[in-house]
PDB file of all heavy atoms in Angstrom:
ATOM      1  N   ALA A 189      10.621 -15.583 -17.546  1.00 98.00           N
ATOM      2  CA  ALA A 189      10.253 -16.922 -17.940  1.00 98.00           C
ATOM      3  C   ALA A 189       8.727 -16.964 -17.709  1.00 98.00           C
ATOM      4  O   ALA A 189       8.155 -17.978 -18.328  1.00 98.00           O
ATOM      5  CB  ALA A 189      10.968 -18.004 -17.069  1.00 98.00           C
ATOM      6  N   VAL A 190       8.123 -16.196 -16.800  1.00 97.00           N
ATOM      7  CA  VAL A 190       6.720 -16.379 -16.627  1.00 97.00           C
ATOM      8  C   VAL A 190       5.894 -15.273 -17.480  1.00 97.00           C
ATOM      9  O   VAL A 190       4.678 -15.048 -17.241  1.00 97.00           O
ATOM     10  CB  VAL A 190       6.267 -16.304 -15.129  1.00 97.00           C
ATOM     11  CG1 VAL A 190       6.882 -17.341 -14.317  1.00 97.00           C
ATOM     12  CG2 VAL A 190       6.749 -14.829 -14.607  1.00 97.00           C
ATOM     13  N   GLY A 191       6.630 -14.657 -18.388  1.00 97.00           N
ATOM     14  CA  GLY A 191       5.961 -13.753 -19.361  1.00 97.00           C
ATOM     15  C   GLY A 191       6.174 -12.288 -19.029  1.00 97.00           C
ATOM     16  O   GLY A 191       5.618 -11.445 -19.791  1.00 97.00           O
ATOM     17  N   GLY A 192       6.785 -11.984 -17.893  1.00 98.00           N
ATOM     18  CA  GLY A 192       7.000 -10.541 -17.559  1.00 98.00           C
ATOM     19  C   GLY A 192       8.097  -9.927 -18.263  1.00 98.00           C
ATOM     20  O   GLY A 192       9.059 -10.507 -18.853  1.00 98.00           O
ATOM     21  N   VAL A 193       8.114  -8.493 -18.175  1.00 98.00           N
ATOM     22  CA  VAL A 193       9.312  -7.759 -18.751  1.00 98.00           C
ATOM     23  C   VAL A 193       9.781  -6.930 -17.669  1.00 98.00           C
ATOM     24  O   VAL A 193       9.221  -5.804 -17.231  1.00 98.00           O
ATOM     25  CB  VAL A 193       8.851  -6.871 -19.900  1.00 98.00           C
ATOM     26  CG1 VAL A 193      10.012  -5.967 -20.435  1.00 98.00           C
ATOM     27  CG2 VAL A 193       8.291  -7.713 -20.980  1.00 98.00           C
ATOM     28  N   PRO A 194      10.761  -7.484 -16.866  1.00 98.00           N
ATOM     29  CA  PRO A 194      11.342  -6.711 -15.687  1.00 98.00           C
ATOM     30  C   PRO A 194      12.159  -5.604 -15.979  1.00 98.00           C
ATOM     31  O   PRO A 194      13.100  -5.727 -16.918  1.00 98.00           O
ATOM     32  CB  PRO A 194      12.011  -7.799 -14.888  1.00 98.00           C
ATOM     33  CG  PRO A 194      12.550  -8.758 -15.880  1.00 98.00           C
ATOM     34  CD  PRO A 194      11.486  -8.715 -17.073  1.00 98.00           C
ATOM     35  N   VAL A 195      11.957  -4.452 -15.308  1.00 98.00           N
ATOM     36  CA  VAL A 195      12.799  -3.217 -15.690  1.00 98.00           C
ATOM     37  C   VAL A 195      13.245  -2.753 -14.294  1.00 98.00           C
ATOM     38  O   VAL A 195      12.638  -2.561 -13.270  1.00 98.00           O
ATOM     39  CB  VAL A 195      11.941  -2.207 -16.322  1.00 98.00           C
ATOM     40  CG1 VAL A 195      12.837  -0.906 -16.499  1.00 98.00           C
ATOM     41  CG2 VAL A 195      11.456  -2.640 -17.585  1.00 98.00           C
ATOM     42  N   LEU A 196      14.578  -2.637 -14.126  1.00 98.00           N
ATOM     43  CA  LEU A 196      15.164  -1.978 -12.947  1.00 98.00           C
ATOM     44  C   LEU A 196      14.745  -0.628 -12.780  1.00 98.00           C
ATOM     45  O   LEU A 196      14.864   0.221 -13.618  1.00 98.00           O
ATOM     46  CB  LEU A 196      16.656  -2.120 -12.928  1.00 98.00           C
ATOM     47  CG  LEU A 196      17.352  -1.540 -11.711  1.00 98.00           C
ATOM     48  CD1 LEU A 196      17.144  -2.428 -10.488  1.00 98.00           C
ATOM     49  CD2 LEU A 196      18.866  -1.431 -11.984  1.00 98.00           C
ATOM     50  N   ARG A 197      14.146  -0.380 -11.435  1.00 98.00           N
ATOM     51  CA  ARG A 197      13.839   0.967 -11.212  1.00 98.00           C
ATOM     52  C   ARG A 197      15.013   1.856 -10.955  1.00 98.00           C
ATOM     53  O   ARG A 197      15.952   1.435 -10.211  1.00 98.00           O
ATOM     54  CB  ARG A 197      12.785   1.073  -9.977  1.00 98.00           C
ATOM     55  CG  ARG A 197      12.230   2.509  -9.635  1.00 98.00           C
ATOM     56  CD  ARG A 197      11.253   2.501  -8.510  1.00 98.00           C
ATOM     57  NE  ARG A 197      10.144   1.488  -8.631  1.00 98.00           N
ATOM     58  CZ  ARG A 197       9.136   1.514  -7.850  1.00 98.00           C
ATOM     59  NH1 ARG A 197       9.118   2.253  -6.766  1.00 98.00           N
ATOM     60  NH2 ARG A 197       8.073   0.688  -8.093  1.00 98.00           N
ATOM     61  N   VAL A 198      15.032   3.062 -11.469  1.00 98.00           N
ATOM     62  CA  VAL A 198      16.139   3.921 -11.322  1.00 98.00           C
ATOM     63  C   VAL A 198      15.698   5.326 -10.912  1.00 98.00           C
ATOM     64  O   VAL A 198      14.468   5.749 -11.048  1.00 98.00           O
ATOM     65  CB  VAL A 198      17.062   4.072 -12.676  1.00 98.00           C
ATOM     66  CG1 VAL A 198      17.662   2.698 -12.971  1.00 98.00           C
ATOM     67  CG2 VAL A 198      16.196   4.568 -13.748  1.00 98.00           C
ATOM     68  N   THR A 199      16.626   6.092 -10.359  1.00 97.00           N
ATOM     69  CA  THR A 199      16.311   7.361 -10.066  1.00 97.00           C
ATOM     70  C   THR A 199      16.517   8.322 -11.151  1.00 97.00           C
ATOM     71  O   THR A 199      16.869   7.966 -12.334  1.00 97.00           O
ATOM     72  CB  THR A 199      17.336   7.869  -8.889  1.00 97.00           C
ATOM     73  OG1 THR A 199      18.710   7.887  -9.394  1.00 97.00           O
ATOM     74  CG2 THR A 199      17.255   7.031  -7.685  1.00 97.00           C
ATOM     75  N   ASN A 200      16.271   9.651 -10.921  1.00 96.00           N
ATOM     76  CA  ASN A 200      16.355  10.626 -12.125  1.00 96.00           C
ATOM     77  C   ASN A 200      17.774  10.634 -12.751  1.00 96.00           C
ATOM     78  O   ASN A 200      17.901  11.005 -13.909  1.00 96.00           O
ATOM     79  CB  ASN A 200      15.933  12.004 -11.672  1.00 96.00           C
ATOM     80  CG  ASN A 200      14.434  12.072 -11.422  1.00 96.00           C
ATOM     81  OD1 ASN A 200      13.670  11.230 -11.960  1.00 96.00           O
ATOM     82  ND2 ASN A 200      13.995  13.034 -10.521  1.00 96.00           N
ATOM     83  N   ASP A 201      18.695  10.359 -11.891  1.00 96.00           N
ATOM     84  CA  ASP A 201      20.176  10.362 -12.492  1.00 96.00           C
ATOM     85  C   ASP A 201      20.649   8.997 -13.081  1.00 96.00           C
ATOM     86  O   ASP A 201      21.780   8.893 -13.372  1.00 96.00           O
ATOM     87  CB  ASP A 201      21.117  10.983 -11.406  1.00 96.00           C
ATOM     88  CG  ASP A 201      21.218  10.067 -10.208  1.00 96.00           C
ATOM     89  OD1 ASP A 201      20.436   8.985 -10.110  1.00 96.00           O
ATOM     90  OD2 ASP A 201      21.934  10.415  -9.146  1.00 96.00           O
ATOM     91  N   GLY A 202      19.702   8.117 -13.081  1.00 96.00           N
ATOM     92  CA  GLY A 202      20.061   6.756 -13.634  1.00 96.00           C
ATOM     93  C   GLY A 202      20.567   5.746 -12.796  1.00 96.00           C
ATOM     94  O   GLY A 202      20.820   4.582 -13.258  1.00 96.00           O
ATOM     95  N   ALA A 203      20.714   6.195 -11.470  1.00 97.00           N
ATOM     96  CA  ALA A 203      21.253   5.084 -10.502  1.00 97.00           C
ATOM     97  C   ALA A 203      20.181   4.235 -10.002  1.00 97.00           C
ATOM     98  O   ALA A 203      18.966   4.564 -10.038  1.00 97.00           O
ATOM     99  CB  ALA A 203      21.880   5.859  -9.294  1.00 97.00           C
ATOM    100  N   PRO A 204      20.382   3.066  -9.603  1.00 97.00           N
ATOM    101  CA  PRO A 204      19.273   2.101  -9.155  1.00 97.00           C
ATOM    102  C   PRO A 204      18.707   2.810  -7.983  1.00 97.00           C
ATOM    103  O   PRO A 204      19.228   3.336  -7.099  1.00 97.00           O
ATOM    104  CB  PRO A 204      20.075   0.876  -8.681  1.00 97.00           C
ATOM    105  CG  PRO A 204      21.291   0.817  -9.546  1.00 97.00           C
ATOM    106  CD  PRO A 204      21.649   2.306  -9.600  1.00 97.00           C
ATOM    107  N   TYR A 205      17.229   2.688  -7.961  1.00 98.00           N
ATOM    108  CA  TYR A 205      16.548   3.169  -6.883  1.00 98.00           C
ATOM    109  C   TYR A 205      16.724   2.256  -5.637  1.00 98.00           C
ATOM    110  O   TYR A 205      16.666   0.956  -5.835  1.00 98.00           O
ATOM    111  CB  TYR A 205      14.986   3.167  -7.220  1.00 98.00           C
ATOM    112  CG  TYR A 205      14.126   3.471  -6.073  1.00 98.00           C
ATOM    113  CD1 TYR A 205      13.663   4.852  -5.809  1.00 98.00           C
ATOM    114  CD2 TYR A 205      13.475   2.448  -5.273  1.00 98.00           C
ATOM    115  CE1 TYR A 205      12.813   5.130  -4.811  1.00 98.00           C
ATOM    116  CE2 TYR A 205      12.697   2.758  -4.234  1.00 98.00           C
ATOM    117  CZ  TYR A 205      12.316   4.064  -4.022  1.00 98.00           C
ATOM    118  OH  TYR A 205      11.486   4.380  -3.021  1.00 98.00           O
TER     119      TYR A 205
END
Side-chain angles (χ1 to χ4, degrees):
V190 298
V193 179
V195 177
L196 178 66
R197 188 178 298 187
V198 297
T199 62
N200 290 335
D201 61 4
Y205 174 90

